[in-house]
Amino acid sequence: LLEHVTLITMDGKRQVIQDGALAIRGEKIAWLGETASVPAAFAPTRRVDLSGKVVAPGMVNAHGHMAMTLFRGLVDDRPLEAWLETIWKVEGKYTSPENVAAGARLAIAEMIRGGTTCAADMYWQPAPLLWWRQHHIRPLSLAAHGRPVRASTSVSRRKLA
């Protein structure tokens, strides 16, 4: 049971519960509401006081180029057209399955740390899918050679320092 936490529910009323509680069974949310109103049916094996913390739904990254995290900061001081001319050349020279996997690993670590649980990627290499599954990032819409690809739908609970 997570208790004494600010809950951002994203329900139909867009409720924010200031002194909230969240009961979890397995990997599912079993109940949420005010800490003072936790049903007696929930006899938690563990209670976690999250005073001063916020629990919110995971973020969605609807458009990403994960492998490009490796090019971050490269000619970022240029207008879009000049940036594209340069970045496409660099991308053409350095894009490989190994580099795409390395960039995806970095991007996934950053997304998990920032609360992203669902993402889309524009790269066509299969290696990142293994990292998506391993770290429980849900693909929003991912196509591999024109075919949809499915991965894990569970939410990440990994903590990265």
Side-chain angles (χ1 to χ4, degrees):
L1 180 69
L2 308 178
E3 55 190 354
H4 305 294
V5 63
T6 299
L7 292 173
I8 300 175
T9 66
M10 298 303 291
D11 65 5
K13 297 177 186 176
R14 302 286 194 234
Q15 288 185 84
V16 175
I17 302 171
Q18 295 300 325
D19 185 14
L22 187 70
I24 301 168
R25 271 202 186 114
E27 292 189 7
K28 305 256 184 207
I29 296 172
W31 180 87
L32 64 82
E34 294 180 1
T35 298
S37 302
V38 175
F42 294 109
T45 56
R46 184 170 172 220
R47 291 177 177 269
V48 180
D49 185 330
L50 293 178
S51 296
K53 307 290 185 198
V54 174
V55 170
M59 304 285 191
V60 175
N61 176 351
H63 182 115
H65 300 260
M66 291 194 290
M68 292 188 82
T69 57
L70 299 179
F71 304 138
R72 187 179 292 135
L74 183 64
V75 297
D76 62 354
D77 58 341
R78 307 246 175 112
L80 177 61
E81 292 302 321
W83 179 83
L84 287 172
E85 285 178 29
T86 303
I87 209 70
W88 284 337
K89 290 175 188 170
V90 172
E91 192 175 28
K93 185 175 180 177
Y94 293 104
T95 298
S96 67
E98 297 80 18
N99 286 343
V100 169
R105 286 192 305 268
L106 175 58
I108 289 168
E110 291 174 348
M111 285 190 282
I112 291 170
R113 188 164 188 175
T116 298
T117 60
C118 181
D121 190 38
M122 304 304 135
Y123 273 77
W124 56 93
Q125 306 279 346
L129 284 176
L130 300 174
W131 280 85
W132 287 56
R133 287 185 182 118
Q134 186 176 8
H135 297 286
H136 306 286
I137 296 287
R138 297 172 294 138
L140 180 61
S141 174
L142 185 67
H145 305 288
R147 294 183 313 273
V149 176
R150 296 179 191 258
S152 172
T153 58
S154 61
V155 175
S156 175
R157 281 183 269 139
R158 292 192 179 275
K159 183 177 179 180
L160 300 178

